[in-house]
């Protein structure tokens, strides 16, 4: 699940170039600035076509980007509504990869591609940075409102936010963080030459640094024992559970660093209260669906855990930076074949590298540590690292997960680009294109329960006698 506000509103009076054949591309000027709910997407351009008598200006779009975004929105709705019926459509309970696990990386990837087009030319870096920061803050605020708890208990018709338990992180917040850092990298490390210029290499260095920091924290920090409480009856004392850890490098649900950092910085009361690992066989007799606890369920099964936490968001930013590189290829290369070649090389490498990490990651990381300084080895438990791998894990946003999903996004984008922008089969994708142009609106209405709440607002006699009850939805 994810929204695409970060793509929808990024026009900063910058030139953006359309994926047109070489003979059709001319200098273009973008003249529309979008607001937080603007209609103009960042992949819009105005192409000037010179004729002997006059200049004719018309709006063009990188249609494949809209289609890709719309397809991802449709996938989001599909897994939200039918994920509980078919395990292949639902999120993986922990390690592994399902269709639902591609949604978030796809949106983040498109954020990066669009930023590569939006900031093709800059008039003032300070002004662009200020606009990017304001848009990120708006998206953060929207995420807090939609996912911070206001729409909890929709079917009970009780809404509101308990500030003591508000959820600080979420899907929109993660996209806002990825958008902001990627935009700042693009603004201040701007290159007007080629994708292999000095500033471009610096952006790749940022992605590398973020990955190394993530790995060192994930496998190096010590996770102590911890406890949490869950409420029982209103008049009863909350029940306390103790989780035994005392380890380093654990990537299981109970003792990983991702959860520890969120508990320490955000507070356990501000984390997501329906963790995905509650669907694991250890925690549910109906696994891979939610269900009652088994008699011997571990203590951590009911602990809050945020799938969009702080440390995992570090790796999600790398997905945006990967998409940014694909956007640069559109800007710097005009020939379709050259673009496709330059896209498929990193795509193939990402997929192969991600799968290799999933299979052999523990050995690769051991070799990495063996060549590091003794200072690194001091706080990393080598024996523990050897016991764990770098499995594909959406909740932790592992390095292997980032590589495989970013590579899959590249493959899908290339396929859509070939079909829509190269071959011209755009009529077949009109619905997806429309959904991509209105992604945020669809997300708010469909995924954030705004539309069901609107329907529940009209009732007769009692709030429970509403339109949803009439059609058999909700309670």
């Amino acid at each position: 699940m994810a929204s695409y506000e970060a793509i929808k509103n990024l026009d900063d009076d910058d030139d953006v170039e359309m994926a047109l054949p070489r003979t059709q591309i001319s200098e273009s000027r973008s003249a529309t600035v979008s607001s937080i709910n603007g209609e103009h997407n960042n992949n819009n351009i105005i192409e000037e076509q010179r004729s002997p008598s006059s200049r004719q200006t018309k709006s063009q779009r990188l249609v494949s980007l809209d289609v890709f975004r719309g397809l991802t929105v449709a996938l989001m709705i599909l897994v939200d509504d039918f994920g509980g019926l078919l395990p292949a459509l639902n999120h993986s309970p922990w390690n592994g990869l399902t269709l639902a696990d591609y949604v978030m990386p796809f949106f983040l990837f498109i954020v990066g591609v669009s930023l590569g087009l939006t900031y093709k030319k800059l008039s003032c870096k300070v002004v662009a940075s200020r606009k990017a920061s304001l848009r990120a803050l708006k998206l953060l605020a929207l995420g807090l409102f939609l996912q911070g708890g206001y729409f909890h208990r929709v079917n009970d018709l009780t809404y509101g936010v308990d500030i003591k338990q508000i959820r600080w992180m979420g899907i929109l917040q993660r996209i806002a963080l990825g958008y902001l850092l990627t935009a700042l990298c693009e603004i201040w490390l701007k290159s007007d030459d080629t994708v292999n210029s000095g500033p471009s290499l610096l952006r790749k260095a940022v992605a590398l640094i973020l990955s190394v920091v993530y790995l060192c924290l994930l496998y190096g920090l010590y996770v102590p024992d911890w406890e949490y409480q869950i409420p029982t009856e209103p008049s009863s004392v909350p029940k306390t559970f103790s989780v035994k850890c005392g380890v380093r490098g654990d990537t299981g649900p109970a003792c990983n660093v991702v959860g520890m950092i969120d508990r320490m910085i955000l507070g356990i009361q501000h984390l997501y209260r329906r963790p995905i690992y509650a669907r694991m066989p250890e925690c549910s007799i109906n696994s891979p669906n939610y269900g009652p606890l088994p008699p011997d369920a571990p203590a951590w099964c009911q602990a809050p855990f945020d799938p969009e936490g702080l440390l995992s968001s570090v790796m999600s930013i790398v997905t945006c930076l990967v998409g940014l590189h694909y956007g640069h290829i559109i800007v710097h290369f005009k020939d379709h074949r050259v673009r496709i070649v330059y896209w498929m090389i990193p795509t193939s490498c990402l997929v192969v590298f991600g799968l290799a990490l999933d299979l052999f990651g523990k050995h690769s990381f051991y070799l990495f540590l063996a060549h590091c300084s003794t200072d690194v080895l001091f706080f990393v438990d080598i024996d523990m690292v050897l016991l764990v791998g770098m499995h594909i894990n959406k909740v932790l946003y592992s390095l292997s997960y980032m590589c495989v999903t970013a590579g899959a996004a590249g493959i899908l984008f290339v396929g859509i680009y070939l079909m829509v922008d190269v071959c011209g089969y755009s009529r077949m994708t009109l619905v997806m294109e429309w959904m991509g142009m209105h992604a945020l609106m669809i997300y708010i209405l469909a995924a954030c329960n705004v539309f069901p709440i609107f329907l529940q607002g009209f009732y007769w006699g009692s709030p429970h006698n509403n339109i949803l009850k009439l059609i058999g939805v909700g309670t």
Side-chain angles (χ1 to χ4, degrees):
M1 299 183 300
S3 78
Y4 201 65
E5 163 66 5
I7 296 177
K8 188 177 176 61
N9 304 290
L10 300 181
D11 301 278
D12 289 312
D13 297 318
D14 303 317
D15 291 355
V16 180
E17 202 157 353
M18 169 71 171
L20 295 174
R22 181 187 299 271
T23 56
Q24 295 180 351
I25 294 182
S26 61
E27 294 184 358
S28 60
R29 297 177 182 174
S30 176
T32 306
V33 181
S34 65
S35 63
I36 192 66
N37 292 316
E39 297 295 329
H40 188 67
N41 279 352
N42 70 317
N43 53 318
N44 288 2
I45 68 160
I46 297 178
E47 182 189 9
E48 297 181 355
Q49 294 183 335
R50 295 176 174 85
S51 64
S53 58
S54 65
R55 288 181 177 180
Q56 296 178 346
T57 304
K58 67 176 183 178
S59 177
Q60 299 288 344
R61 303 182 63 86
L62 181 58
V63 181
S64 55
L65 200 57
D66 281 331
V67 174
F68 189 11
R69 188 190 316 132
L71 184 63
T72 308
V73 171
L75 179 60
M76 175 192 70
I77 297 174
L78 175 66
V79 300
D80 281 351
D81 294 339
F82 301 101
L85 303 177
L86 189 62
L89 294 178
N90 208 348
H91 291 286
S92 175
W94 197 248
N95 293 329
L97 193 62
T98 64
L99 192 61
D101 296 327
Y102 287 98
V103 175
M104 170 65 77
F106 282 5
F107 278 120
L108 293 169
F109 177 88
I110 303 172
V111 168
V113 175
S114 295
L115 285 172
L117 304 178
T118 299
Y119 296 114
K120 179 188 173 186
K121 292 182 180 179
L122 291 173
S123 57
C124 179
K125 293 183 177 181
V126 175
V127 173
S129 299
R130 184 172 65 249
K131 290 183 178 180
S133 300
L134 288 175
R135 288 183 178 123
L137 287 175
K138 291 176 182 178
L139 193 55
L140 282 170
L142 183 61
L144 285 175
F145 175 71
L146 293 175
Q147 297 171 294
Y150 187 85
F151 294 124
H152 70 292
R153 302 187 67 183
V154 173
N155 292 330
D156 294 336
L157 302 179
T158 57
Y159 318 121
V161 176
D162 183 355
I163 300 299
K164 292 183 178 180
Q165 302 182 32
I166 186 173
R167 182 187 177 197
W168 296 122
M169 297 300 292
I171 294 165
L172 299 180
Q173 294 91 314
R174 169 169 284 182
I175 292 179
L177 292 175
Y179 157 61
L180 178 60
L181 185 59
T182 306
L184 293 178
C185 286
E186 177 67 0
I187 292 169
W188 292 99
L189 301 177
K190 184 66 185 169
S191 171
D192 295 325
D193 300 324
T194 66
V195 292
N196 293 320
S197 62
S200 180
L201 295 177
L202 286 176
R203 286 188 293 264
K204 295 180 178 67
V206 171
L208 179 61
I209 291 172
L210 291 176
S211 300
V212 172
V213 169
Y214 170 85
L215 291 175
C216 289
L217 293 178
L218 181 66
Y219 291 98
L221 290 184
Y222 175 80
V223 181
D225 299 342
W226 56 282
E227 62 181 27
Y228 68 99
Q229 294 179 335
I230 59 172
T232 52
E233 297 297 329
S235 59
S236 302
V237 178
K239 190 174 182 179
T240 301
F241 292 87
S242 297
V243 181
K244 301 296 181 181
C245 291
V247 296
R248 286 188 177 93
D250 193 344
T251 56
C255 301
N256 60 79
V257 173
V258 173
M260 182 193 72
I261 291 178
D262 290 338
R263 291 190 296 270
M264 292 178 60
I265 298 178
L266 301 176
I268 194 169
Q269 71 275 16
H270 297 293
L271 304 184
Y272 188 56
R273 296 185 176 274
R274 201 183 186 197
I276 193 68
Y277 55 63
R279 294 171 39 232
M280 297 177 67
E282 297 93 326
C283 302
S284 173
I285 62 175
N286 296 331
S287 180
N289 297 318
Y290 291 101
L293 290 170
D296 57 345
W300 47 264
C301 281
Q302 301 177 76
F305 189 96
D306 207 308
E308 283 82 37
L310 295 173
L311 183 58
S312 57
S313 294
V314 172
M315 282 305 301
S316 69
I317 296 171
V318 179
T319 301
C320 292
L321 292 171
V322 172
L324 181 65
H325 177 72
Y326 282 65
H328 290 161
I329 291 174
I330 296 177
V331 172
H332 293 295
F333 300 99
K334 312 307 178 186
D335 185 77
H336 293 312
R337 291 171 295 181
V338 174
R339 286 176 175 172
I340 292 171
V341 169
Y342 274 87
W343 280 333
M344 289 307 298
I345 291 175
T347 292
S348 304
C349 293
L350 284 170
V351 173
V352 172
F353 184 62
L355 294 176
L357 284 177
D358 185 55
L359 294 175
F360 312 109
K362 56 185 178 182
H363 304 294
S364 301
F365 193 58
Y366 173 75
L367 293 176
F368 165 76
L369 292 175
H371 289 83
C372 287
S373 65
T374 55
D375 294 334
V376 176
L377 295 176
F378 175 76
F379 67 87
V380 176
D381 190 339
I382 297 295
D383 293 332
M384 177 54 69
V385 171
L386 286 174
L387 294 176
V388 298
M390 293 185 182
H391 298 296
I392 296 175
N393 188 298
K394 186 262 182 188
V395 184
L396 301 180
Y397 217 107
S398 63
L399 178 60
S400 57
Y401 171 78
M402 186 281 297
C403 291
V404 171
T405 53
I411 293 174
L412 184 57
F413 177 62
V414 171
I416 296 174
Y417 177 82
L418 278 171
M419 181 180 71
V420 176
D421 288 314
V422 177
C423 298
Y425 297 117
S426 57
R427 291 186 178 180
M428 302 170 56
T429 58
L430 287 177
V431 175
M432 294 295 105
E433 182 182 353
W434 180 87
M435 293 179 65
M437 295 168 61
H438 303 87
L440 180 64
M441 178 190 70
I442 296 173
Y443 174 79
I444 293 174
L445 292 178
C448 294
N449 294 318
V450 173
F451 186 62
I453 288 175
F454 174 78
L455 294 179
Q456 289 175 347
F458 296 89
Y459 61 89
W460 52 96
S462 170
H464 294 278
N465 295 326
N466 51 54
I467 299 176
L468 287 184
K469 182 179 179 181
L470 181 65
I471 61 178
V473 178
T475 58

